[in-house]
Amino acid sequence: MKTIITFIIVFGVLVIVHEFGHFFFAKRSGILVREFAIGMGPKLIAHQAKDGTTYTLRLLPIGGYVRMAGMGEEEAELPPGLPLSVELNADGAVTKINTSKKIQLTNSIPMELVRHDLEDELTITGFVNGDESEAITYPVLHDATIIEADGTEIRIAPTDVQFQSAKLWQRMLTNFAGPMNNFILAILLFVLLAFMRGGTPITDTNQLGSVIADGVAEKAGLQTADKVVSIDGKRIATWEDLAMTVSENPEKDLDFVVNRNGQTLEMTVTPRAEKSGNQTVGKLDISVPMKTGLTDKIFGGVTEAVDSSLRIFKALGSLFTGFSLNKLGGPVMMFQMSSQAADAGLTTVIALMAMLSMNLGIINLIPIPALDGGKLVLNVLEGVRGKPLSQEKEGILTFIGFGLLMVLMVLVTWNDIQRFFF
């Protein structure tokens, strides 16, 4: 249960923060956000705000999404012959269109749909009260709402509030805002980690941090702030050199040369053995030295975020030199990582969320249709050509990109299942 809750929180926060970026800049650009959903699947609660956005809470507590006007896959299907009802104002204009069998409007007029135009002409035509001798056309208000089959009430999407009606730079910013939010979240979380840990690790030094009482290092005579000059004759220049050498030699006597306040000391230290996954590693019961100033913590968190992004780019680069599904991970791997993080404690959970947030932001900027990066490429292409691709061509590219992503996701998920459960 702890793992499940951790997975839901981590995955949910990452996706909601991502979608909020799209939501915020779409609103600022004058694009109608028809729905902002927390969770997926069947609707539990819905509230339509005065700004025209319907906020919904859905059954499956994983992620969320934003429905922007003019994004074709988000439009409700209204085929001819569809039974529906309309609600009129005092001037005879439609204020509400009900296509749901779950909702009954008290003062509505039943209609069999003949045709409609809710984007430009703003009209709806149909046979009223079962009378098929004459089709009646009603004007539709610009801010009218439509009740979908599941009972969700959203605004209609006239052309002037659709995504394509915004300026090119506004659409580019809206597309980039999701990954941008993930980068901001990652940086904030890495800074938070620096404060929770009490500082930022100093890794370009051979100096010891705190020596744990009654640990291996203290019993061998090592003290806080000692500088390890060499181990078994091997020069030690950085913390990584020290950690690697100790890790590779569990329960082996190591000859340390140490500098303490200008004095050279020699001592024998035997790292204790500790299980780490499928390996046994050596430990000295010491901590990395830390910079503990306020600015050190802030800049240290930012630096760690940058280092995390560089590791992700390096991993992506390795896919081109030697592709392997084992280099990728899907929801199953994320669940496994959430399980390990939940067992390790809050700090590890936050570190996982920070790393995954950076990962999600970068992956979404890969120039593949259906991802934000692919949309940005189409925006750039539009700027070069002076006109956008036709919706048909853009839809085909998006469909192909989405299909490739789904195939890859299935392969990665199956590979993860085999790795972790068989």
Side-chain angles (χ1 to χ4, degrees):
M1 181 58 68
K2 182 169 64 174
T3 297
I4 293 173
I5 293 174
T6 301
F7 175 78
I8 289 173
I9 292 175
V10 170
F11 187 75
V13 168
L14 296 185
V15 175
I16 290 172
V17 166
H18 179 96
E19 295 299 337
F20 183 78
H22 294 311
F23 167 83
F24 179 81
F25 283 96
K27 301 281 278 189
R28 298 283 292 181
S29 302
I31 301 166
L32 171 63
V33 178
R34 306 180 79 183
E35 180 184 0
F36 186 96
I38 297 178
M40 307 289 284
K43 170 181 65 70
L44 297 177
I45 302 173
H47 169 71
Q48 188 177 63
K50 293 181 179 179
D51 61 4
T53 299
T54 297
Y55 299 86
T56 59
L57 179 65
R58 295 185 174 267
L59 179 63
L60 302 177
I62 48 174
Y65 59 87
V66 167
R67 295 173 59 181
M68 286 182 277
M71 307 298 279
E73 70 276 8
E74 301 296 346
E75 302 304 316
E77 290 291 333
L78 297 178
L82 178 71
L84 50 81
S85 62
V86 295
E87 198 172 75
L88 310 179
N89 65 8
D91 297 323
V94 174
T95 60
K96 191 172 296 185
I97 303 169
N98 181 20
T99 67
S100 176
K101 296 179 181 179
K102 300 178 180 180
I103 306 295
Q104 298 297 322
L105 300 178
T106 305
N107 298 314
S108 63
I109 300 173
M111 172 187 289
E112 180 183 325
L113 184 65
V114 173
R115 60 183 176 274
H116 70 286
D117 184 344
L118 303 180
E119 295 184 351
D120 298 310
E121 295 180 3
L122 298 184
T123 59
I124 186 167
T125 302
F127 300 119
V128 175
N129 291 318
D131 182 3
E132 298 186 5
S133 62
E134 181 184 7
I136 299 178
T137 298
Y138 293 103
V140 180
L141 291 182
H142 182 277
D143 295 337
T145 60
I146 181 169
I147 302 175
E148 299 180 310
D150 68 350
T152 303
E153 184 174 352
I154 60 174
R155 284 262 293 270
I156 64 170
T159 302
D160 64 304
V161 294
Q162 291 188 13
F163 184 80
Q164 288 297 335
S165 295
K167 295 177 181 178
L168 178 59
W169 68 267
Q170 292 174 322
R171 284 181 275 133
M172 293 185 71
L173 188 55
T174 299
N175 285 329
F176 178 68
M180 179 184 71
N181 263 22
N182 284 126
F183 297 145
I184 293 172
L185 175 63
I187 292 170
L188 291 176
L189 289 174
F190 277 121
V191 171
L192 175 62
L193 279 172
F195 279 89
M196 293 178 68
R197 292 167 176 165
T200 303
I202 306 172
T203 57
D204 59 346
T205 180
N206 59 358
Q207 183 171 302
L208 303 183
S210 298
V211 175
I212 299 174
D214 297 324
V216 171
E218 185 183 70
K219 291 178 180 178
L222 292 171
Q223 296 180 10
T224 299
D226 282 351
K227 294 181 178 180
V228 180
V229 178
S230 66
I231 300 178
D232 279 354
K234 176 184 176 182
R235 181 173 176 273
I236 301 298
T238 67
W239 181 263
E240 185 177 357
D241 294 339
L242 173 62
M244 186 68 69
T245 302
V246 171
S247 178
E248 293 173 347
N249 294 281
E251 297 184 333
K252 293 182 181 179
D253 292 342
L254 300 176
D255 294 326
F256 274 56
V257 176
V258 175
N259 184 303
R260 181 182 298 163
N261 298 323
Q263 181 181 4
T264 300
L265 304 174
E266 297 182 4
M267 59 191 70
T268 299
V269 184
T270 306
R272 63 178 177 82
E274 183 177 286
K275 289 289 290 184
S276 177
N278 297 324
Q279 295 181 318
T280 300
V281 298
K283 294 288 184 179
L284 282 188
D285 300 322
I286 55 177
S287 65
V288 63
M290 309 279 276
K291 295 178 181 178
T292 58
L294 176 63
T295 55
D296 292 324
K297 293 174 184 176
I298 294 174
F299 284 109
V302 173
T303 301
E304 193 170 353
V306 172
D307 290 342
S308 173
S309 68
L310 294 177
R311 288 193 295 270
I312 294 169
F313 281 119
K314 184 177 180 181
L316 287 174
S318 71
L319 291 175
F320 294 97
T321 57
F323 181 82
S324 171
L325 287 176
N326 290 329
K327 295 179 180 179
L328 299 173
V332 175
M333 174 175 279
M334 186 171 168
F335 185 85
Q336 186 76 8
M337 294 170 68
S338 297
S339 175
Q340 297 171 354
D343 291 337
L346 179 61
T347 301
T348 306
V349 171
I350 293 175
L352 172 65
M353 189 183 297
M355 183 270 293
L356 290 176
S357 187
M358 184 65 72
N359 193 302
L360 180 62
I362 291 173
I363 294 299
N364 261 281
L365 287 179
I366 294 176
I368 297 176
L371 292 180
D372 295 324
K375 296 174 183 177
L376 285 168
V377 169
L378 292 178
N379 291 147
V380 172
L381 182 61
E382 177 184 341
V384 173
R385 295 174 72 236
K387 62 179 181 178
L389 283 179
S390 67
Q391 287 193 349
E392 181 180 354
K393 291 180 180 178
E394 185 174 339
I396 292 173
L397 287 174
T398 300
F399 179 78
I400 293 173
F402 183 77
L404 291 174
L405 287 175
M406 288 300 99
V407 170
L408 182 61
M409 180 61 72
V410 169
L411 293 175
V412 168
T413 300
W414 177 246
N415 187 60
D416 286 347
I417 291 172
Q418 290 183 310
R419 275 196 291 176
F420 295 120
F421 299 106
F422 296 102

